[in-house]
Amino acid sequence: MEILWSVVVGVFVAAGIYLMLERHLLRVLFGLIMLSSAVNMAIFTAGRLTVGEPPLIDANAVVPPIGAANPLPQALILTAIVIGFGLLVFTLVLFYRAYQESLTADIDQMTYSEEEQ
């Protein structure tokens, strides 16, 4: 199961990097989102995937049962999702402002105004 998810993470990383190398601003943003998702999936896969064994500690136990998934990566992913959403919104606002200033979404066609040169 982990091998399949590792391949999926690799495909997401490759597609994310490919999109980030494009010239259009929205494709760069989609590449950033895909790369963020790939990192989240890699952390989730590293925390072990178990079916039917929740990462809960019984009332009389001190540690989770043997073979249970590690709950720490799951908590880190929840935090990363919130931070990633904030980054996404901030980046979207920056891209929108750049589009308003340059009237194009093509990175190569964006130019500086005469005041900044």
Side-chain angles (χ1 to χ4, degrees), residues 38-115:
V39 170
N40 287 340
M41 284 192 295
I43 293 171
F44 187 69
T45 304
R48 197 173 321 130
L49 302 172
T50 56
V51 178
E53 189 71 38
L56 302 174
I57 300 174
D58 292 329
N60 299 330
V62 181
V63 295
I66 295 174
N70 188 356
L72 183 62
Q74 296 173 12
L76 289 174
I77 290 170
L78 286 175
T79 305
I81 289 170
V82 172
I83 293 171
F85 181 72
L87 176 67
L88 168 69
V89 171
F90 179 70
T91 309
L92 190 60
V93 169
L94 285 178
F95 285 172
Y96 180 69
R97 180 71 179 153
Y99 174 75
Q100 279 183 331
E101 288 291 321
S102 63
L103 299 176
T104 183
D106 191 352
I107 295 173
D108 290 340
Q109 293 179 358
M110 290 184 175
T111 59
Y112 293 107
S113 66
E114 293 181 18
E115 299 170 10

